[in-house]
Amino acid sequence: MKRFYLYGVLLLLSSCQEEVVLELKSQEPTPIIEGIWTDAGTINHVNVSWSRDYYSQEPNAPVEDAEVFIVSPTNRERVNFKYSEKSQRYLPDDVLGGKIGDIYELNVKIGENRYVSRGEMLAPPRLDSITYSYKEGRAFRDDGYFLTLYGDIPFTEDNNYRVRIVRNDTLLNRRSDYLLFDDTFGTTILTKGFELSGFAFEDKDKVRLELYRLNQDAYDYMSQLVNLLFNDGGLFSPPPENPKTNIEVVAGEGEVLGYFLVSPILTQTIRINPE
């Protein structure tokens, strides 16, 4: 009798599975601003685009006629940005980049609306060396060469970091490639050796590492973005929502999405060549 009851429950559950597509209201496009300002001028840029409906398969439409500039209240310098048709982003006229210790303010004007965000160019930690070693594969790890970073974090506050990895000139940009860490477990992570355990490399791979020190609001945005990327929409997952932006609407109406990141950048390149 119990076995019959169990089979009946399983049959009922299997017959109740149905894909549900929610009918979401269409909303007016919202501007999305993504700005990166570092002390390495060649990578600085600002993306400005319009949001799209949740189920849309089209890419976000770029905004090509915005006024974009960065000013420094510290030294009163201003850097204008121009839209590049080739890269579909705004690039700075000045490629010198920012200076450690200065504050920078991003300004974006779209029609009558103006959006502003600020960030401080914090001092970088120290990145001394990168080593690699070969490890056999395990249940949750591929076999390959794994990198370990060595350096020093001398700061007692504002310890929010991101590592970007470029393999053979290709940025690793999947959801599992967002590598963020703070001082939750202390500041000796680089002193002891920080192994990038989730990234296996092969012989002859060229790997470039970029280490950023973020302001708290930019770090919070990145953390929320990672959580959103890993949200599978299951029964026990929280409702998806956009990360909290650090950009303000100071003139006009409506909302804004995106972030402004101000950070120093440390870069080292290594080629996997065991021989």
Side-chain angles (χ1 to χ4, degrees):
M1 184 66 180
K2 292 182 179 180
R3 182 178 301 174
F4 175 79
Y5 175 75
L6 179 59
Y7 288 165
V9 171
L10 293 176
L11 179 62
L12 178 62
L13 291 176
S14 63
S15 63
C16 291
Q17 292 182 1
E18 181 180 355
E19 182 179 359
V20 177
V21 179
L22 299 178
E23 294 185 6
L24 303 178
K25 295 181 179 180
S26 296
Q27 295 183 340
E28 290 296 322
T30 300
I32 304 172
I33 301 171
E34 298 172 316
I36 295 180
W37 183 253
T38 72
D39 55 348
T42 55
I43 70 170
N44 294 339
H45 66 272
V46 177
N47 291 333
V48 186
S49 61
W50 295 109
S51 65
R52 53 184 172 81
D53 287 341
Y54 185 80
Y55 292 115
S56 174
Q57 299 298 318
E58 298 295 325
N60 293 342
V63 178
E64 303 180 12
D65 58 350
E67 181 183 355
V68 180
F69 61 92
I70 284 179
V71 295
S72 173
T74 307
N75 54 35
R76 301 183 182 277
E77 293 180 352
R78 169 170 170 159
V79 178
N80 294 316
F81 285 65
K82 292 180 180 178
Y83 183 75
S84 168
E85 292 282 354
K86 182 178 180 180
S87 63
Q88 295 190 325
R89 59 178 51 173
Y90 290 83
L91 302 178
D93 292 339
D94 188 346
V95 296
L96 295 179
K99 300 177 182 178
I100 304 300
D102 285 356
I103 295 174
Y104 293 94
E105 180 183 274
L106 171 66
N107 289 259
V108 177
K109 295 182 179 180
I110 305 175
E112 299 298 321
N113 284 21
R114 180 182 168 215
Y115 311 95
V116 172
S117 182
R118 283 190 176 192
E120 180 183 355
M121 185 78 67
L122 301 170
R126 192 176 77 239
L127 184 59
D128 294 332
S129 61
I130 304 173
T131 64
Y132 60 84
S133 60
Y134 184 84
K135 295 187 177 182
E136 299 288 344
R138 295 181 180 177
F140 300 100
R141 185 186 70 189
D142 296 332
D143 58 344
Y145 294 90
F146 291 84
L147 305 184
T148 300
L149 282 60
Y150 291 93
D152 180 55
I153 297 176
F155 314 112
T156 58
E157 58 184 7
D158 296 322
N159 286 308
N160 304 295
Y161 302 95
R162 181 188 179 188
V163 177
R164 291 208 319 173
I165 303 174
V166 180
R167 176 170 54 198
N168 300 325
D169 299 324
T170 299
L171 173 65
L172 302 186
N173 202 30
R174 301 167 302 175
R175 64 179 187 176
S176 58
D177 297 330
Y178 280 80
L179 181 53
L180 305 170
F181 67 96
D182 57 16
D183 58 1
T184 299
F185 301 104
T187 58
T188 61
I189 184 171
L190 292 180
T191 307
K192 296 179 179 179
F194 179 29
E195 181 184 87
L196 308 184
S197 57
F199 303 88
F201 299 96
E202 300 178 357
D203 188 10
K204 301 300 187 292
D205 274 349
K206 184 178 72 172
V207 185
R208 185 175 84 246
L209 297 181
E210 300 173 355
L211 177 59
Y212 298 78
R213 185 184 179 200
L214 312 181
N215 290 275
Q216 185 67 54
D217 55 3
Y219 181 82
D220 291 342
Y221 179 93
M222 289 290 175
S223 299
Q224 294 170 33
L225 176 62
V226 171
N227 291 335
L228 178 63
L229 293 175
F230 278 95
N231 188 327
D232 60 3
L235 180 63
F236 300 103
S237 297
E241 59 180 349
N242 292 312
K244 182 180 179 181
T245 181
N246 63 353
I247 304 173
E248 296 183 62
V249 182
V250 296
E253 300 178 348
E255 300 179 346
V256 64
L257 301 173
Y259 67 99
F260 179 45
L261 184 154
V262 179
S263 172
I265 177 174
L266 298 178
T267 304
Q268 282 200 23
T269 301
I270 188 171
R271 184 177 293 276
I272 307 298
N273 187 9
E275 298 179 1

